[in-house]
Amino acid sequence: MLVMTADIGIDLGTASVKVYVRGKGIVLREPSVVAIEKQSGKVVAIGTDAKEMVGRTPGNIVALRPLREGVIDHFDLALHMLKHYVGRVCGRAMLLRPRVVICVPSGVTSVERRAVLEAATQAGARRTYLIEEPLAAALGAGIDIGPPSGSMVVDIGGGTSDIAVLSLGGIVHSISIRVGGDRFDESLIRHVRREHNLLIGERTAEEVKIEVATAFPDGRAEQAEVRGRDLVTGLPRTIIMTSEECRQALEEPLQAVLVAVREVLEATPPELAADIIDRGMMLTGGGALLHGLDRYLAESVGVPVLVAEDPISCVALGTGKALESLTILQSLVERRVPGAG
């Protein structure tokens, strides 16, 4: 989709990239995957086409994720991916260099922030603003963070989970942990390997997580055939996995999220904690779609848990709201291109 625009918001996620255009909404959703040739380093495919190659490429092509655990892991590939998506949205001419708002996890270091800013500038941004993911998620979920009352967001993305309490337009306390949807998939892969001597890939683990897995005991009673390679014979084999077995496999990453939620609540001022008990905490991000996660958190901490209407899009929508609010923009970390207006 070609849009001549000066304002775009980017949810630069570990699993996917979503681009918001001011006045038009989310115009692009693509996986954060780049396929390259091993020998030459030449980019073969980006986004959906590249994701289709994961686990299925010939020996000379490898599909990689430029972002790992919410931050840039491979700068050159991240830059190539950003240029590709910004070019698709704004047009190759880029006559009017866009203002860009990009989301980052709340726990990123100054070095990681500079890497995102530099990549955005090289991709063609005139001005780049960084917004922390829990703040963007809250805005995208429709939470009014302006009043002096407490709101809590648990944003579970592909690489990180960001938990924050917000009030008066800012973050009062937050924790970012390197646990997200990818860690859920890895836990399923390890469980199947350990318990069944079967090797499965990331795509299979993700399908099992979506179709069968649950976070809450007795929350779901599904089962599915899981196909992989037998580690003893080396031959293909099929097993049956149930929802309860998946829940046991996901116990470790779920506990990590629960511990982080408890830590944030324990550090929250009493007055704001009372507001959160009344209003509940908001669950956003792709991980919010894990079956039974809302019940798991609610019963573990004794606070009501709400799932956002469109949890996957909340962060991208939040960048859009930041673009439309001069007050919010002025509070964000900014980088200008030298000589730009």
Side-chain angles (χ1 to χ4, degrees):
M1 180 177 184
L2 186 62
V3 182
M4 294 308 294
T5 180
D7 291 317
I8 63 176
I10 301 176
D11 175 9
L12 193 61
T14 302
S16 64
V17 175
K18 289 172 278 292
V19 179
Y20 180 101
V21 172
R22 185 174 181 178
K24 295 184 178 294
I26 298 174
V27 299
L28 184 146
R29 301 172 188 261
E30 291 276 346
S32 301
V33 183
V34 179
I36 62 170
E37 287 184 355
K38 280 186 179 179
Q39 298 293 333
S40 64
K42 178 183 176 182
V43 174
V44 177
I46 298 175
T48 302
D49 292 339
K51 186 175 182 181
E52 291 298 320
M53 299 179 182
V54 173
R56 297 178 176 176
T57 57
N60 65 322
I61 297 177
V62 58
L64 302 172
R65 285 185 174 181
L67 292 100
R68 184 66 60 180
E69 296 181 339
V71 297
I72 293 178
D73 185 52
H74 195 301
F75 184 84
D76 290 340
L77 292 184
L79 175 58
H80 202 105
M81 185 174 69
L82 263 179
K83 284 183 175 179
H84 174 76
Y85 291 140
V86 171
R88 278 181 56 182
V89 172
C90 298
R92 293 190 179 276
M94 293 288 289
L95 296 176
L96 185 58
R97 305 187 80 175
R99 288 192 308 173
V100 177
V101 174
I102 299 182
C103 294
V104 293
S106 57
V108 297
T109 65
S110 58
V111 173
E112 291 165 341
R113 284 175 177 268
R114 282 198 299 270
V116 175
L117 288 166
E118 188 63 30
T121 299
Q122 291 190 34
R126 172 169 51 99
R127 292 184 180 180
T128 303
Y129 303 86
L130 300 186
I131 182 172
E132 293 182 330
E133 286 184 3
L135 180 58
L139 291 171
I143 298 175
D144 184 3
I145 62 174
S149 57
S151 300
M152 185 169 179
V153 173
V154 180
D155 179 58
I156 304 177
T160 62
S161 292
D162 289 87
I163 302 97
V165 172
L166 307 104
S167 180
L168 287 173
I171 294 176
V172 177
H173 185 70
S174 69
I175 288 179
S176 179
I177 58 173
R178 302 281 168 104
V179 176
D182 288 349
R183 186 70 66 84
F184 294 161
D185 296 342
E186 291 167 9
S187 294
L188 288 169
I189 291 172
R190 284 199 305 270
H191 174 86
V192 172
R193 181 171 189 154
R194 183 177 63 248
E195 299 297 328
H196 300 282
N197 269 339
L198 192 72
L199 183 64
I200 63 173
E202 293 177 8
R203 290 166 61 92
T204 300
E206 185 176 17
E207 290 170 1
V208 171
K209 178 181 68 178
I210 294 170
E211 297 173 7
V212 180
T214 185
F216 192 76
D218 302 321
R220 197 179 195 183
E222 304 288 342
Q223 64 180 30
E225 292 185 347
V226 179
R227 297 178 177 86
R229 176 166 58 84
D230 192 298
L231 291 171
V232 177
T233 66
L235 300 175
R237 182 160 64 90
T238 301
I239 63 169
I240 301 295
M241 285 195 71
T242 64
S243 297
E244 176 58 23
E245 184 178 3
C246 290
R247 185 194 66 79
Q248 294 173 11
L250 295 174
E251 193 167 344
E252 181 183 342
L254 288 173
Q255 276 291 321
V257 173
L258 177 59
V259 168
V261 169
R262 282 176 170 161
E263 286 183 13
V264 171
L265 285 171
E266 288 169 2
T268 300
E271 292 80 3
L272 298 181
D275 295 334
I276 293 168
I277 291 174
D278 291 338
R279 303 170 66 174
M281 67 179 78
M282 183 67 74
L283 203 54
T284 66
L289 297 176
L290 177 63
H291 186 277
L293 182 57
D294 52 342
R295 292 178 63 191
Y296 171 78
L297 291 175
E299 298 211 1
S300 298
V301 299
V303 174
V305 177
L306 309 171
V307 179
E309 185 176 342
D310 185 2
I312 294 178
S313 302
C314 282
V315 172
L317 293 171
T319 64
K321 290 194 176 181
L323 282 168
E324 293 163 5
S325 171
L326 184 61
T327 302
I328 296 176
L329 267 187
Q330 289 174 339
S331 69
L332 303 180
V333 177
E334 177 188 359
R335 165 70 62 83
R336 296 190 187 190
V337 178

